[in-house]
Amino acid sequence: MGELRLMKGNEAIAEAAVRAGCDGYFGYPITPQSEVLEYLMSVKPYETTGMVVLQAESEVSAINMCYGGAGCGKMVMTSSSSPGISLKMEGISYMAGAELPLLILNVVRGGPGLGTIQPSQCDYFQATKGGGHGDYRLYVLAPASVQEMADFAKLGFEMAYKYRTPVMILSDGIIGQMMEKVDLFDPIPRRTNEEIIKTCPWATTGKTANRERNIITSLDLDSAKQEKHVFDLDAKYKRMQAEDTRFERIMCDDAEYLLVAYGSSARICQKTVDVARAEGIKLGLLRPITLFPFPTDEISKLAGQVKGMLSVEMSLGQMVEDVRLAVNGKIPVEHYGRTGGMIHTPAEVLAALKSIIIGG
Amino acid sequence: MAKVKGAIVVEVERCKGCGVCEPACPQDVIKLAKEVNGKGYNYAYMQNPEECTGCANCAMVCPDAVITVYREKVSQ
Amino acid sequence: MEMKDIIKPENLVFKKTSLFTEKPLSYCPGCGHGTVHRLILETIEEMGLQAETIGVAPVGCSVLAYEFMDIDMQQAAHGRAPALATAIKRLHPEKFVFTYQGDGDLAAIGTAETIHACNRGENIIIFFVNNGIYGMTGGQMAPTTLPGMKTSTSPFGRDTEIMGNPLKITELVAHLPGTYYVTRNAVHTPAAARKAKKAIQKAFEYQKLNKGLCFLEFVSNCNSGWKLPPVKSNEWMVENMFPYYPLGDIKVPSL
């Protein structure tokens, strides 16, 4: 019983957050994701669901507002684009350390520095390998459609609470800005304070006589305790790998060659697969949906089947390193992609496949 | 000899011997002991207990909240 | 009359608030932090707000404030306490929310968070302990270090030509329409501490009114950083800090 609408990706995720029962959004404008905050301000969820929407004075402040809200057990979200995400990294590290649930959207633009406002996938390393300081990981979802922007808001919150961890939706300027039809899920009511106290017994909801005080912190000056804490975090990340690795296989069953691509690039590569198959090349596409945990096992299996893999990313090649680790030298793995806000075409990808992998 | 009206109890092992209580005492009662506690601090004590009025000034400035104050209730 | 006749429960006039945890305070001997902690906790206890209060600890000497206060607390990144408190209060408007911050945290790295929380009129309390130095990291120059004052990063004294001037951030936030009550106190004498407690009580009362941010500065000492014995450091504070940071109300509600 959904509701069908034509929406931008940025609008879809904002609407989905409200429907998912989000308690608070804290953001700061930056292209190409400002529609998230604009949409929320225009639909005024504070008058309907009671969700708080606040434009902070900076990305730094916005992420720390999320820390405060999440520390109370509230379902919180922020969004930004690459340079703003860099500013949020301190807070993300603290939230990972303090084990706070958070949904964070990165609508990636070309970098480094101020870079460009055009789409890119150059923040893969930052999203999956840390970004902030310390031994931590984010659960990273890569939507490839406006529909997934909406669906992953709900899924992202679920994962954030399942693992008490920040979850990043690693999108890009194409998915954020383009309009597609989206089937919106039915609204879920926000949790009551009583429900939060029950489901988040760790949250700072006010120390009552029946429990010890709750402390939200990422600090432990006792190194032995801190090491144990990091080991516990690692166990959580391993559980994510075992239980919540997500990917999509497209024409992989009989594939002799494989493209590996996520998000917008996967949409482009889907067309490349069609064109290649029309030419008689048995090409498949493996689309990682979670970038962390990475579908290492699936790619490792496919390495026993195909002759070569091409990681196609709108960057200089970042995910290709994880593909190579999964393949572990069994077959050739190369990268192709445009960067700096340029977007490769299906034909360019096919030409690259022919010259680098098939002919290489 | 002045009539005893007040008294303090110092939690000796938690006292850090900062001495901030000394100038706060209007009766010159509280002083730092020559002896030290387990942490090596010269802890506060009542040198002239008979002068204590139980005004709680020492407790009001004690950064470690180690002083408990009692004052006789005058019923007559 | 014997001592044992006086020391009995019915004669008790002052004892440590039950909202202190068992953990001994980690502050240096004579540090004003302990006294400010105590006055805040006494107020929370006397007003019966333990279950209604959420505090935010900073980075600095009071980074471990949550170890000593028996209330729910969050520990913020350096300077970000007002951002945390903003969200906590907005998501839990029925709670009493405060931050506890030092001068480096509040008036240097966290200046933006401080000013914007004040300017938005967040309905929270900011407790600001100003001792003119970075104590925890070993006595470096702070935004509030006095002209000529020696620190480990201004070893020949703060040269305002090179290092800029001390920031009177309390006067600054008093100008903002979002602040409701702005006052500066100290806790070095019984009279000052009692006055400071009255200010803390008012701030908690005002939070019920939803009229804006209460900003309470406490000019304090740092005997380790200032390299003075505790009592001497209080005297130095009176002679040097008070002329630059005068005690008293800066903005009072027009009731």
Side-chain angles (χ1 to χ4, degrees), chain A residues 10 25 113 116 143-144 184 195 229 298 336:
Chain A
N10 288 337
Y25 170 90
T116 171
L184 294 162
E195 285 167 337
H229 174 58
E298 187 63 20
Y336 174 75

Side-chain angles (χ1 to χ4, degrees), chain C:
Chain C
M1 182 171 280
E2 298 284 315
M3 283 269 283
K4 65 175 167 44
D5 298 321
I6 303 169
I7 299 171
K8 359 185 229 197
E10 60 267 35
N11 287 339
L12 183 73
V13 287
F14 184 93
K15 73 174 175 85
K16 182 165 84 173
T17 166
S18 67
L19 292 193
F20 264 126
T21 64
E22 279 307 299
K23 190 123 182 159
L25 296 174
S26 55
Y27 303 109
C28 302
C31 174
H33 271 306
T35 311
V36 179
H37 279 28
R38 194 190 78 232
L39 298 174
I40 294 169
L41 292 177
E42 281 175 7
T43 304
I44 294 170
E45 183 179 33
E46 286 156 14
M47 291 175 73
L49 299 178
Q50 184 188 26
E52 315 303 324
T53 304
I54 300 171
V56 184
V59 168
C61 288
S62 46
V63 64
L64 293 173
Y66 58 81
E67 298 229 320
F68 316 123
M69 300 185 173
D70 193 17
I71 53 172
D72 277 5
M73 288 192 79
Q74 298 192 23
Q75 197 280 312
H78 202 16
R80 317 300 175 214
L84 270 67
T86 292
I88 295 169
K89 185 68 184 183
R90 285 183 180 237
L91 290 163
H92 275 296
E94 76 286 2
K95 298 289 183 204
F96 291 77
V97 180
F98 72 84
T99 72
Y100 187 101
Q101 302 174 257
D103 40 89
D105 188 87
L106 178 141
I109 193 167
T111 310
E113 283 76 9
T114 302
I115 288 184
H116 285 280
C118 288
N119 197 45
R120 285 190 302 264
E122 298 297 342
N123 196 34
I124 59 172
I125 306 170
I126 291 180
F127 295 119
F128 166 39
V129 178
N130 174 14
N131 57 13
I133 204 159
Y134 285 82
M136 190 183 69
T137 44
Q140 293 82 13
M141 186 178 72
T144 51
T145 295
L146 297 174
M149 186 173 160
K150 287 182 183 171
T151 70
S152 68
T153 52
S154 59
F156 309 105
R158 182 179 192 149
D159 181 345
T160 54
E161 291 289 313
I162 300 169
M163 303 161 185
N165 292 286
L167 182 57
K168 294 187 183 186
I169 197 160
T170 306
E171 277 80 356
L172 203 153
V173 301
H175 287 295
L176 304 174
T179 50
Y180 186 62
Y181 175 47
V182 181
T183 185
R184 184 183 281 128
N185 283 275
V187 295
H188 62 307
T189 64
R194 288 190 175 101
K195 207 170 171 191
K197 184 166 172 185
K198 284 211 172 68
I200 295 167
Q201 288 166 335
K202 275 188 204 167
F204 275 94
E205 288 292 340
Y206 290 154
Q207 192 160 143
K208 294 178 189 165
L209 305 176
N210 265 316
K211 292 239 174 126
L213 194 142
C214 293
F215 192 98
L216 278 66
E217 177 179 340
F218 303 89
V219 180
S220 192
N221 58 350
C222 178
N223 47 72
S224 295
W226 296 356
K227 307 195 190 323
L228 291 167
V231 175
K232 287 276 174 215
S233 77
N234 277 341
E235 290 166 11
W236 193 91
M237 173 177 76
V238 173
E239 285 163 25
N240 298 278
M241 294 284 278
F242 288 1
Y244 204 90
Y245 302 110
L247 304 189
D249 290 338
I250 299 168
K251 185 178 194 177
V252 289
S254 43
L255 297 168

Side-chain angles (χ1 to χ4, degrees), chain A residues 127-256:
Chain A
T128 62
K129 309 290 180 191
H133 57 283
D135 272 335
Y136 80 93
R137 300 286 193 160
L138 301 176
Y139 187 82
V140 184
L141 284 160
S145 63
V146 173
Q147 183 66 52
E148 284 189 340
M149 284 286 264
D151 294 345
F152 288 0
K154 190 177 165 194
L155 175 64
F157 279 128
E158 282 169 21
M159 293 296 109
Y161 278 88
K162 177 176 177 183
Y163 294 107
R164 262 187 78 180
T165 196
V167 169
M168 180 176 280
I169 296 184
L170 191 71
S171 184
D172 63 59
I174 298 175
I175 307 285
Q177 292 296 324
M178 74 180 179
M179 293 184 92
E180 287 185 308
K181 73 165 190 244
V182 51
D183 191 358
L184 294 162
F185 55 87
D186 287 339
I188 303 161
R190 286 175 55 231
R191 295 163 308 151
T192 62
N193 284 347
E194 290 68 33
E195 285 167 337
I196 289 171
I197 288 168
K198 216 169 153 186
T199 55
C200 303
W202 45 266
T204 56
T205 48
K207 190 220 167 292
T208 43
N210 59 352
R211 67 159 168 85
E212 291 295 301
R213 73 194 195 284
N214 283 337
I215 305 296
I216 301 295
T217 184
S218 61
L219 173 71
D220 205 324
L221 294 172
D222 181 336
S223 293
K225 284 188 191 160
Q226 180 63 18
E227 185 189 46
K228 187 191 175 298
H229 174 58
V230 176
F231 284 161
D232 290 346
L233 291 179
D234 189 51
K236 191 161 79 173
Y237 303 143
K238 289 199 168 80
R239 194 156 70 87
M240 281 180 194
Q241 186 94 38
E243 296 176 21
D244 285 297
T245 303
R246 289 173 161 80
F247 56 86
E248 185 186 7
R249 288 166 54 104
I250 297 165
M251 310 291 282
C252 285
D253 290 351
D254 65 341
E256 290 178 3

